[in-house]
Amino acid sequence: MSSAPLAPSRPVPRPGVLAIEAYVPGKSGAPGLAKVHKLSSNETPLGPSPKAVAAMRAEAAKLELYPDGTATRLREAIATRYGLDPARIVCGAGSDELLSFLAYAYLGPGDEGIFTEHGFLVYRIAILAAGGTPVVVKERDLRADVDALLAAVTARTKIVYLANPNNPTGTYLPFDEVRRLQAGLPPHVLLVLDGAYAEYVRANDYSAGLDLVLEANNVVMTRTFSKIHGLAALRVGWMVAPSEVADAVNRIRGPFNLSGAGIAAGAAAIADDAHVAAAVAHNDTWLATMTDAVRDLGLAVTPSVANFILVHFPAEPGRSAAEADAFLTTRGVITRRVSSYGLPDALRVTIGGEEANRAFLDALTAFVRGETRG
């Protein structure tokens, strides 16, 4: 007769939790250098709207008060901007929190969540944290492949995450392809469209997915104030979803997951069309300039519609991405290694201000030419 297994001598997390590789942000400094150009986190070089800053400062007079637990002011501002029903909007501490809430609401042991091989790392973390099983689907030319995604769907699939545009590649799916993906999914599968960089896209065949959310009952779109709106430090995000999905997430969401400052600043930021237009114009100019300049150096750049570029390096001694990153750091230019995304031979570079962009191009030129630190 076999004996019963011994009980653990201490609390033990679920196996899925122990399988998570903690998210590691891009580095933000360089040893021994007082001034650096941080191009590693896709932050906007224009900073936040002055109206958002003023709204945040006004909140400093009432720090003793709890914020509105339903973020009414922010949801109504978002609804006004996009013509939405505020009851279908849920706000979170960045869109990352909402991506996790969706996993907690719809995944459990035995359930599968799908994302593409170079998709945002938080998808895998959220799926595992919820007790689900991550399913990674191959991309085609660094772009999501609708046929491959649909082929990966099984009876156990509950969520498909799609970043559009994708980070770190900067590629996107045209709206017709997103619609084809949704149409091919079983009705019980939730399609989560992550539009963190949607405001930057100028392509005529692109849609962030708002229309699809309003048409279908299994589509959610998430957005963030951390990128074009410049509120990364305040951690503000939102999603629009079918009423049933919004209700499920609200049952999980803590009542005060957004600060009063975040609510006020977000509401002011989303109404400042002029500030957003200035950020888009700056990005349009420098995205093209930096892409062309890097290609002129003989390096490949994945076509991007976001506020960053993905630069590819040969896997050769003296020319690799790791060596380029180290060299750029000595010149005070901080970029993002993307080995954790399955791209060890590439660097992701944010579109920064003019000074930072020129510093990057000068340092990259010196690296390609084989110069040493001067």
Side-chain angles (χ1 to χ4, degrees), residues 59 61-73 254-264:
E59 290 297 306
K62 41 188 173 181
L63 296 182
E64 76 281 8
L65 302 178
Y66 280 104
D68 172 11
T70 60
T72 302
R73 178 180 174 187
F256 305 113
N257 60 326
L258 261 68
S259 68
I263 292 169

Side-chain angles (χ1 to χ4, degrees), residues 45 151 191 247-248 253 289 319 338:
L191 174 60
D247 177 62
R253 180 186 60 82
T289 298
R319 303 186 65 198
V338 284

Side-chain angles (χ1 to χ4, degrees), residues 27 30 33 313 321-335 347 349 359-365 367:
K27 61 185 178 181
L33 296 178
F313 294 81
E323 289 164 297
D325 181 57
F327 181 88
L328 292 168
T329 299
T330 67
R331 298 294 183 97
V333 178
I334 310 301
T335 59
L347 297 178
V349 185
F360 163 71
L361 293 174
D362 288 346
L364 185 65
T365 299
F367 173 76

